[in-house]
Amino acid sequence: MLLAAMTVFSLAASAQVAEDFKPATTNQEGKQYPMVNSQRMVRAQISAPQANSVKLDIGGVKYEMKKDENGVWTGESAPQDEGFHYYQLEIDGASVPDPGSRYYYGASRWGSGIDIPAQDEEFYTVKNVPQGSINEVYYYSTVTESMRHGYVYLPAEYYSNPTKKFPVLYLQHGMGENETGWSAQGKTGIIMDNLIAAGKAVPFIIYMDNGLNARKPGEQPMGGFGGFGGQRPQGAPGQGGQRPQGAPGQGGQGGPRRGFGGGFNFAGAFQDVLIKDIIPMVEKNYRVIADTEHRAMAGLSMGGMQTHSITLANPTTFAYVGMFSGGTFNVDELTDAKDFKKTNKVLFMSCGGKENMGVDKAAADLKGIGINAHSYVSPETAHEWQTWRRSLYQFAQLIFKK
Amino acid sequence: MLLAAMTVFSLAASAQVAEDFKPATTNQEGKQYPMVNSQRMVRAQISAPQANSVKLDIGGVKYEMKKDENGVWTGESAPQDEGFHYYQLEIDGASVPDPGSRYYYGASRWGSGIDIPAQDEEFYTVKNVPQGSINEVYYYSTVTESMRHGYVYLPAEYYSNPTKKFPVLYLQHGMGENETGWSAQGKTGIIMDNLIAAGKAVPFIIYMDNGLNARKPGEQPMGGFGGFGGQRPQGAPGQGGQRPQGAPGQGGQGGPRRGFGGGFNFAGAFQDVLIKDIIPMVEKNYRVIADTEHRAMAGLSMGGMQTHSITLANPTTFAYVGMFSGGTFNVDELTDAKDFKKTNKVLFMSCGGKENMGVDKAAADLKGIGINAHSYVSPETAHEWQTWRRSLYQFAQLIFKK
């Protein structure tokens, strides 16, 4: 969305802008900008005394900023949806992170993010309740023959009740994101601690990995995948100096590319890593109830599609399945899927209210063939993290309850 | 160091530059720039077609970059020390993170960092050995009356040996840094996993908190602290749009400031948080040997000074004490410190070879009054993370061994 911006807007000075801007909660400590007002407009500011042009690039639109007599540029966006958005600044043609914000991995880069206050933000706000932890781990993958990196959410009771074993949810990010997305932008640990403290979810472990970078030895990296939710790959033409990893030198053309249309398999080597490395590692290292009835998989967008294909290809491995903005299961593919139907206890499909993914109809159809299907549509949100925070909040209340 | 740059260098095109540049290990996935060559020079590159001036700002020096016909700017620094350095780009007067690097918290901001290959980098390289984890946690502080945030390193054996209890090291960052420094720049988890796997350190837990942001209710934030290791506070004059947290609005002058010369206590509210909140929380939530002989404190720079004052003020709480580039204990203050001397089992002081902190002499003097003092000087490094990675590597081998 960020990089697909084609239009340049300049908001005219207007009596309609509410001057109640406050620093964003996603700002770096002590930084006043960016700010958000009650109309959910974003105001950015940066000192660039010698610059000719500075723009705020958010939600697929670039907004011109204006320079004051001290060389400080300030400008506002149009109102944004509630929740989290990636954004950046453009200074004389250079797209750079805003030094005022914290940084998140999305749109295939570490860069600026901003959280717009939401009416329901309580559910992902840190509270003084029993706290689990988000654990950063490395493990050896026999599939990629390399050390890999992931995150594990352990609920508070994992520590306070040292003999208890727990179910596990395997939870995946979207295209252009990585294993940090669910804990940072997604606020997974906070959502779960609050849900468990309120008695709305049973305590379970969550494992989050990188669904994009798994490659078997000798495999080429994915160089390009255009046209997906507005997120462009590194190395896209015109992005100046960014080239796919492994491309030869400065003058090279980049390695072979596999576009979505060219046979890219959403699961690919990641399916093998998940089944052969990750699940055994989690079940060995943690106190896990290591059976199908206590194993779930879910993901957002591309991670939802991976969930779709991996749970279909491994129909007796996961009892609970969630697709957040990742499309739907359909009746045709499940009618004769006896193992999947016998194993599945909950099939959850969700999307944002501004997306049109047909999750309600799909769930109704699936119920007709005996699937315990659930759907959820996040009010007034698009293909973004507020949809997925809410989807996790809903899904977590449905699983491991028998 | 970063922001104290006063001089602008332009390296003349020179036959002396070795054209063997490789992408830095600290780059974002798939990003080719910045690069480092065998002379430890950094080459940065960014597309900024409309810019008038782009500089690479590293090691206290700004290096001019040059534009090619496509609007892409490229430039090199002088050779850098081995190890990790903060840096940034300056585009037409705007200091911004380099979109090619990963981001780290230091110099009072999230921004670019780069790792220069080091001859001894094996000790902080991820290997296929039993892996502990770095755990992100929140906890309620009775001192600040708020939720606080920290990281816990748990060794691999914490998971594989579920009844064993472990000693704990409380480990603090420096000025302008935060609770993420030791795990990200410091590579604490990797260093410890490798040391423990090699049998060089006993397994212990490490707890890392924020030593700068602890404030009792009603206390003002620290607004300014100049002249410390070249790191300037947020809100320094001329930094454009950055103001101390809590300052009133856009036209305000910022809150009251407490400079180092004005009675700033390095320990301050943090001492209370550590003693009253953190240690009890760690000893309640984790399998800890909760006695003095199994409790250590160490820190780098300001964190070393905090260690100095906190361990002196709580002489029977910690048996092992480490100051990394944080000055020295001296004979005068310890000669009559009966409780401290009776409790202390190891007193470790270190610094970089380019610093002059007198740690060897201080250790020799302290041995003369019966202290088990150790010193370490990191070869060819300054007041930077390579010194502190090596210091942790040395200190960890000395503690909890009786």
Side-chain angles (χ1 to χ4, degrees), chain A residues 335-355:
Chain A
T335 300
D336 297 323
K338 285 180 190 165
D339 285 345
F340 185 97
K341 287 163 76 174
K342 201 168 75 177
T343 301
N344 184 266
K345 292 183 180 297
V346 170
L347 200 169
F348 176 91
M349 298 167 291
S350 69
C351 64
K354 296 185 175 184
E355 304 185 278

Side-chain angles (χ1 to χ4, degrees), chain B residues 138-203:
Chain B
Y138 292 90
Y139 63 97
Y140 181 75
S141 164
T142 60
V143 172
T144 66
E145 297 180 11
S146 63
M147 296 300 290
R148 289 178 54 82
H149 184 245
Y151 292 87
V152 188
Y153 166 76
L154 297 181
E157 198 180 352
Y158 193 91
Y159 298 100
S160 63
N161 194 345
T163 56
K164 184 171 173 176
K165 295 185 172 186
F166 296 85
V168 184
L169 164 63
Y170 297 87
L171 183 63
Q172 289 302 121
H173 61 84
M175 179 61 69
E177 295 168 340
N178 69 14
E179 67 272 27
T180 64
W182 269 111
S183 56
Q185 298 96 298
K187 298 188 178 271
T188 292
I190 302 167
I191 291 170
M192 290 306 305
D193 289 342
N194 288 345
L195 274 174
I196 293 166
K200 292 180 177 173
V202 301

Side-chain angles (χ1 to χ4, degrees), chain A residues 28-33 35 43 45-52 72 74 89-99 101-103 105 108-111 126-129 131-140 147 151 154 158-160 162 178-179 183 190 193 210 213 234 238-250 284-287, chain B residues 28-33 43 45-52 68 72 74 89-99 101-103 105 108-111 126-129 131-140 147 151 154 158-160 162 178-179 183 190 193 210 213 234 238-250 284-287:
Chain A
Q28 297 189 24
E29 279 178 50
K31 299 290 175 75
Q32 292 291 294
Y33 287 89
M35 293 189 171
R43 174 174 283 171
Q45 185 175 92
I46 189 169
S47 172
Q50 287 90 49
N52 304 305
V72 175
T74 307
L89 300 180
E90 187 182 296
I91 304 174
D92 285 346
S95 290
V96 293
D98 180 347
S101 82
R102 291 188 185 164
Y103 305 127
Y105 195 80
S108 298
R109 95 288 184 255
W110 284 97
V126 177
K127 294 177 186 168
N128 186 13
V129 298
Q131 296 288 316
S133 65
I134 298 281
N135 300 2
E136 181 181 11
V137 297
Y138 292 90
Y139 63 96
Y140 182 76
M147 297 298 291
Y151 291 87
L154 296 181
Y158 193 90
Y159 299 99
S160 63
N178 69 13
E179 67 271 29
S183 56
I190 302 167
D193 288 343
N210 188 313
N213 70 357
Q234 299 157 348
Q239 290 298 317
Q242 299 175 356
R243 288 187 180 79
Q245 200 167 29
Q250 205 178 328
K284 173 172 178 280
N285 289 356
Y286 302 93
R287 299 195 313 272
Chain B
Q28 297 189 25
E29 278 177 51
K31 298 290 175 77
Q32 293 291 296
Y33 287 89
R43 175 174 282 169
Q45 185 176 92
I46 188 168
S47 173
Q50 287 90 49
N52 305 304
D68 71 10
V72 176
T74 305
L89 300 180
E90 188 183 295
I91 303 173
D92 284 346
S95 291
V96 293
D98 180 348
S101 83
R102 291 186 186 167
Y103 305 126
Y105 195 79
S108 298
R109 92 290 183 256
W110 284 98
V126 177
K127 294 176 185 168
N128 185 12
V129 298
Q131 297 287 317
S133 66
I134 298 280
N135 301 1
E136 180 182 11
V137 297
Y138 292 90
Y139 63 97
Y140 181 75
M147 296 300 290
Y151 292 87
L154 297 181
Y158 193 91
Y159 298 100
S160 63
N178 69 14
E179 67 272 27
S183 56
I190 302 167
D193 289 342
N210 187 314
N213 70 358
Q234 299 157 347
Q239 290 298 316
Q242 300 174 356
R243 287 188 182 79
Q245 201 168 29
Q250 204 177 325
K284 172 171 180 281
N285 289 356
Y286 302 94
R287 299 194 313 273

